[in-house]
Amino acid sequence: MSTIAVRPTGKTDLADRLLMALLAVAAFKTRAVEALSRRIQAAKAREEGGYTAVELILITAAVIVVVGIAVVAIKAAVTTKSTSVGNCITGADTTNNGGCN
């Protein structure tokens, strides 16, 4: 916080009073601006602490997409392997080991 020190000149009483009034207003304004700035910084600090609803929705959507891709990949692998095992069992009574490796 800055402080302005002005001593009245004593030449004109009205001019000195106006000057002191202006300085008082300037000092009040400075303190008010500093206080408001501190409150804004505190509010921003509180806002940055957690996720907003939009961020949570985006995170949830990303997780759902990743899980969906994993399920599709696992399903394809299981289906392929189970088909291979089924074909091996079905062809077990034929020659060449039913195509099983």
Side-chain angles (χ1 to χ4, degrees):
M1 182 163 76
S2 60
T3 305
I4 302 172
V6 176
R7 297 176 70 191
T9 61
K11 292 183 181 179
T12 50
D13 195 33
L14 181 59
D16 288 339
R17 288 184 190 171
L18 287 174
L19 179 61
M20 294 305 286
L22 285 173
L23 290 174
V25 168
F28 174 76
K29 182 179 174 186
T30 302
R31 285 191 300 265
V33 167
E34 289 173 352
L36 185 58
S37 176
R38 283 191 302 271
R39 290 189 71 179
I40 289 172
Q41 288 173 353
K44 283 183 180 179
R46 282 192 304 271
E47 288 175 4
E48 294 171 0
Y51 294 109
T52 64
V54 173
E55 290 169 330
L56 289 175
I57 290 170
L58 291 175
I59 291 169
T60 304
V63 168
I64 289 171
V65 167
V66 169
V67 168
I69 291 171
V71 166
V72 168
I74 291 170
K75 179 184 176 201
V78 168
T79 301
T80 302
K81 196 61 172 175
S82 66
T83 301
S84 173
V85 169
N87 290 339
C88 183
I89 292 171
T90 303
D93 59 349
T94 64
T95 60
N96 228 2
N97 211 11
C100 301
N101 296 328

